[in-house]
Amino acid sequence: MTVSPKAIFPPRKRRPSAGAFIPPNFADQKLVQSLLLLSQEISSIQPFQFLLRRTSLSIIRKTKLLSILFDELLRNPILIFSPTLLCFEEMYILLQRIRTLIEDCSNGSKMWLLMQIDSVANGFHELTVELSTLLDIFPLNEVDLSEDVQELVVLIRRQCSLVKPDLDPGDSSLRREVLTMLDRIKREIVPDQPKLAEIFHRVGLQTAARCTEEIDSLEEEVQNQGDEKSKSEVIALIGLVRYAKCVLYGASGPDSESQRSTSSKDMTAEAATNIPPDFRCPISLDLMRDPVVVATGQTYDRESIALWIESGHNTCPKTGQNLAHTSLIPNRALKNLISMWCREQKIPFELTETSHKSNGVSIPNKAAVEATRMTVSFLVNQLSGSQSTEAANGVVYELRALAKTNSDSRGFIAEAGAIPLLVRYLGSDVGSELPNLQVNAVTTILNLSILEANKTNVMETDGALNGIIEVLRSGATWEAKGNAAATIFSLSGVHSYRKRLGRKNRVIKGLVDLAQLGPNSSKRDALVAILTLASDRDTVGRLIEAGVVEIVAGVLDSLPEEAVTILEVVVKKGGLAAIAAVYSKIKKLAVLLREGSETSRESAAATLVTICRKGGSEMVAELAAMPGIERIIWELMGSGTVRARRKAATLLRILRRWAAGLDPSPVTERPNTTVSGTSATTVM
């Protein structure tokens, strides 16, 4: 019985080199048994159905004949002498390489296999030639074999020696047709649909699900390529397959095919919820692909923090501190950890963009760009004419996936007029009828808003902001509400929009309610949006009136870093009203000084310093009443971040002035201090 190669071989990230295979250290019969099992495994595989069919059939048939030789040797054990043993060891390595090449062709991208068809066919031919050489040196006369098996070995040897490099003319023709189509796309010529359908049928991409798998395989192939030219060629193929999927098989949502979620915050539906918090960018909440450290010591994804700085901000988004400089330092240690985690979760780590770099300058891949533009045009036209919500859901899902890929896609989607069409699906009537459509619509707008120019498009489109707020307040699912909150955060990256959003009570109320009632993933979305809006002093008052202090205090245990950072900003900008609201949370903040992460300990110390300075002796007394508080502060002075040590030293001086009966408010911060034993040393 033959089986599919994919049923045998699990996907592998990168093919090993020929030198990676080493001879086995087996005893004579164990080696023969291994050769039999390996040859039987290869011979049970079906030949390739579409590309290299004749080539794969030939080498699988020869391997099947070899299994008869090994079976004969296993049933009639013989003493294997050194030359024969060496030949068998080399044959074992050769069969491993044959299996590996079949595995690569089976599990990899069909389109990329087509582009490399000449070199792959040559690889199969070289393996056949090596098999011929091994059979030539095989001491047939010295091994006691039946006459039939001897004749079989001679037959295999003759077949191998007669094999010539032979590429199926149909495969070569198909490759030329694909290259011609890509060239026409570069020249902005829309592919002929019947011709496109014929090509994809011949390659074996006959359904939307197979096209989705092909896109995944091509995205992995981008990571496997070492040179920029090859990466650029793969990216062009991604654009072609994505276009063909939509045009030939129609837009399809995630429920109609097995594919990974493509939301702005999801890598895979399950893995996204389990992304370690330290791997998420505090700005986008997405998995960091290129983590960098800013002047305050906080880590962000390069793309997100670069957009933040380019928008005119000179503060750290998480702490609110002014940035002493705008240099971005790569966090290579964290990037390596994220990369390892992604491999374990089978998540592509590197971003797939539609351009490659030459001498450090980004050069667009024309075919990929034009294929993306054509895909967007097709989808937006489909959406504008959609009569049913089911049909619209498939199109919106494809736009959502496309908007996640790169800046070109986001720009094309907005330019094509998709935002007003998406607004139609934000209402509660859509949410009650088809919740997934509402989720897909708001997430597409979220993905589009990542592009700075699109923020203005969203804010100025009639009904867009009100629709986002409606989803935030009464969305059909927590995912929809969370993505609406993330959209508010994204839009608030522009200073004027931040003030405008902060003046809307429905925004404040929606975010506070979500932070109180939502699951942790949605709470995090709401808290990050609240933190951004709180950088405006006028908005802080509205947040306090809406009960943000109580809500944030309630999540100090589950989301300490986000919660304590908000408290720090609120007490800094909110005046006496904020101080009074935080009074009952002093002991919780003190606990964080001892038990929190580095970031939360730093923010807790900064918050307590502000409370004690502005709130007077009553606030200091509440903190001083906590058992062991001085020891906790000393520990922070010795092991915290630079800013945490500075804040802890200030807090300690405040407590000592209060104990001496002096007014604690005049205490000012001194230069950074380090602690050794029980004494503090000033570092100038």
Side-chain angles (χ1 to χ4, degrees):
M1 181 178 109
T2 58
V3 295
S4 164
K6 285 209 171 193
I8 294 178
F9 303 128
R12 191 185 61 241
K13 201 72 175 173
R14 187 184 296 272
R15 67 182 61 89
S17 64
F21 300 103
I22 58 174
N25 186 21
F26 291 154
D28 295 355
Q29 294 305 307
K30 180 69 173 176
L31 176 57
V32 174
Q33 184 180 30
S34 299
L35 284 166
L36 174 62
L37 292 175
L38 187 53
S39 59
Q40 287 177 338
E41 180 182 343
I42 295 172
S43 60
S44 68
I45 300 170
Q46 289 181 353
F48 303 149
Q49 289 185 319
F50 300 99
L51 304 174
L52 294 169
R53 178 173 176 80
R54 194 166 62 192
T55 303
S56 62
L57 179 62
S58 173
I59 202 160
I60 289 172
R61 185 189 295 120
K62 291 178 177 63
T63 306
K64 187 173 184 178
L65 294 175
L66 274 178
S67 68
I68 298 174
L69 166 65
F70 302 134
D71 183 58
E72 169 89 358
L73 291 172
L74 199 61
R75 285 190 291 107
N76 301 300
I78 61 170
L79 182 61
I80 300 178
F81 296 101
S82 182
T84 308
L85 180 63
L86 180 61
C87 181
F88 281 177
E89 287 177 347
E90 291 298 322
M91 198 168 290
Y92 181 88
I93 296 174
L94 178 64
L95 290 177
Q96 289 276 23
R97 291 169 57 198
I98 290 172
R99 184 181 67 170
T100 298
L101 185 54
I102 295 174
E103 174 187 353
D104 284 329
C105 295
S106 302
N107 288 335
S109 157
K110 291 180 172 61
M111 278 292 188
W112 188 241
L113 174 61
L114 179 61
M115 294 298 102
Q116 307 297 312
I117 200 83
D118 290 329
S119 62
V120 175
N122 188 58
F124 276 111
H125 177 256
E126 288 177 356
L127 292 173
T128 305
V129 171
E130 289 185 39
L131 179 58
S132 175
T133 302
L134 288 176
L135 291 175
D136 282 341
I137 64 174
F138 179 66
L140 189 60
N141 297 328
E142 299 177 12
V143 182
D144 185 18
L145 296 173
S146 67
E147 185 176 336
D148 288 343
V149 174
Q150 288 189 29
E151 291 178 357
L152 180 65
V153 173
V154 172
L155 174 64
I156 302 172
R157 181 191 299 166
R158 184 182 303 115
Q159 288 180 347
C160 290
S161 64
L162 294 175
V163 168
K164 305 294 182 185
D166 181 27
L167 181 61
D168 191 320
D171 291 347
S172 296
S173 172
L174 183 57
R175 180 177 181 273
R176 287 194 299 271
E177 290 174 18
V178 171
L179 291 173
T180 299
M181 183 165 287
L182 287 172
D183 183 65
R184 289 172 63 83
I185 289 174
K186 283 182 186 178
R187 291 183 280 129
E188 304 180 24
I189 301 173
V190 177
D192 177 66
Q193 191 166 332
K195 187 63 179 177
L196 187 67
E198 178 195 343
I199 288 174
F200 272 67
H201 179 81
R202 289 166 63 189
V203 175
L205 303 176
Q206 300 156 323
T207 65
R210 288 189 176 181
C211 286
T212 299
E213 292 175 1
E214 177 68 9
I215 291 170
D216 290 344
S217 296
L218 285 168
E219 288 176 344
E220 290 187 7
E221 197 63 52
V222 172
Q223 302 175 55
N224 289 342
Q225 300 308 310
D227 63 286
E228 297 299 332
K229 183 176 182 295
S230 296
K231 287 185 178 182
S232 178
E233 291 170 354
V234 177
I235 290 168
L237 292 172
I238 292 174
L240 175 62
V241 176
R242 187 174 281 124
Y243 173 77
K245 174 191 172 187
C246 295
V247 171
L248 298 180
Y249 310 118
S252 52
D255 294 334
S256 61
E257 53 182 277
S258 299
Q259 61 186 39
R260 70 169 187 261
S261 169
T262 52
S263 91
S264 178
K265 300 188 291 298
D266 295 339
M267 277 9 96
T268 64
E270 185 173 351
T273 59
N274 297 321
I275 295 176
D278 290 342
F279 292 177
R280 290 182 184 269
C281 173
I283 297 176
S284 67
L285 301 182
D286 202 353
L287 183 72
M288 287 189 281
R289 308 288 180 162
D290 187 8
V292 293
V293 179
V294 297
T296 59
Q298 300 294 329
T299 297
Y300 300 92
D301 197 36
R302 183 183 295 275
E303 181 181 9
S304 298
I305 191 63
L307 283 174
W308 173 269
I309 294 171
E310 289 168 8
S311 301
H313 300 96
N314 63 348
T315 57
C316 174
K318 192 165 186 178
T319 67
Q321 294 175 264
N322 288 330
L323 296 174
H325 58 79
T326 57
S327 299
L328 304 178
I329 303 169
N331 191 336
R332 292 189 177 87
L334 181 58
K335 186 173 183 178
N336 289 336
L337 291 174
I338 295 173
S339 177
M340 291 168 59
W341 181 84
C342 284
R343 279 197 294 273
E344 291 171 2
Q345 301 295 325
K346 296 182 173 61
I347 297 173
F349 179 58
E350 294 182 10
L351 290 174
T352 300
E353 294 291 346
T354 58
S355 63
H356 66 283
K357 290 185 178 179
S358 176
N359 297 324
V361 180
S362 182
I363 304 173
N365 181 294
K366 180 67 172 174
V369 169
E370 292 306 324
T372 300
R373 196 193 304 273
M374 292 174 186
T375 306
V376 167
S377 176
F378 175 82
L379 289 172
V380 173
N381 286 337
Q382 290 280 304
L383 187 60
S384 62
S386 294
Q387 300 299 317
S388 69
T389 53
E390 285 289 348
N393 188 38
V395 177
V396 173
Y397 180 83
E398 294 293 348
L399 287 171
R400 166 183 172 173
L402 197 56
K404 178 176 171 58
T405 56
N406 52 56
S407 297
D408 286 333
S409 300
R410 297 178 193 116
F412 294 154
I413 293 171
E415 290 169 8
I419 294 175
L421 300 176
L422 293 167
V423 170
R424 300 185 304 191
Y425 305 110
L426 297 178
S428 56
D429 55 333
V430 173
S432 58
E433 179 185 353
L434 192 60
N436 280 348
L437 177 53
Q438 186 186 62
V439 171
N440 287 331
V442 73
T443 308
T444 304
I445 294 175
L446 165 60
N447 292 343
L448 292 175
S449 70
I450 295 172
L451 186 65
E452 202 68 17
N454 284 347
K455 291 178 175 29
T456 300
N457 289 331
V458 173
M459 293 295 288
E460 294 183 355
T461 297
D462 288 342
L465 182 56
N466 285 334
I468 294 166
I469 296 172
E470 182 177 352
V471 176
L472 175 66
R473 296 291 306 277
S474 56
T477 65
W478 289 118
E479 183 184 3
K481 292 182 176 182
N483 287 354
T487 308
I488 295 293
F489 163 75
S490 177
L491 296 172
S492 64
V494 178
H495 180 71
S496 59
Y497 297 156
R498 189 185 317 145
K499 294 180 73 70
R500 179 176 163 187
L501 291 165
R503 287 196 294 265
K504 292 185 176 291
N505 289 328
R506 289 189 303 148
V507 171
I508 301 298
K509 185 68 165 63
L511 291 174
V512 170
D513 287 347
L514 184 59
Q516 180 181 21
L517 303 173
N520 268 2
S521 58
S522 298
K523 286 180 190 287
R524 184 179 284 108
D525 291 327
L527 292 175
V528 172
I530 287 171
L531 177 60
T532 306
L533 295 179
S535 63
D536 179 68
R537 192 176 298 275
D538 294 336
T539 303
V540 171
R542 298 185 187 91
L543 287 169
I544 294 172
E545 290 174 6
V548 72
V549 172
E550 289 295 329
I551 302 303
V552 169
V555 297
L556 272 172
D557 294 330
S558 57
L559 298 169
E561 290 192 12
E562 292 84 353
V564 73
T565 306
I566 290 174
L567 288 180
E568 179 186 353
V569 174
V570 167
V571 298
K572 183 177 180 181
K573 296 180 179 263
L576 292 177
I579 300 296
V582 180
Y583 172 70
S584 61
K585 317 305 175 208
I586 288 178
K587 289 186 178 178
K588 274 196 170 186
L589 291 170
V591 170
L592 273 181
L593 286 181
R594 181 180 63 236
E595 300 176 355
S597 65
E598 275 197 353
T599 302
S600 56
R601 292 168 76 198
E602 176 185 313
S603 291
T607 305
L608 287 170
V609 167
T610 304
I611 291 173
C612 292
R613 276 178 173 169
K614 295 183 177 180
S617 297
E618 186 178 356
M619 300 289 180
V620 183
E622 180 72 11
L623 178 62
M626 183 174 178
I629 185 62
E630 282 206 17
R631 180 172 180 174
I632 293 171
I633 294 172
W634 274 107
E635 289 175 354
L636 183 59
M637 290 172 65
S639 61
T641 64
V642 173
R643 181 170 180 253
R645 294 199 299 268
R646 190 173 70 245
K647 294 294 182 181
T650 302
L651 197 56
L652 185 61
R653 289 195 297 275
I654 289 174
L655 286 173
R656 289 184 171 177
R657 283 184 63 87
W658 172 84
L662 302 174
D663 182 5
S665 57
V667 174
T668 57
E669 291 183 16
R670 294 179 182 174
N672 300 339
T673 59
T674 58
V675 175
S676 176
T678 58
S679 62
T681 305
T682 300
V683 179
M684 300 305 292

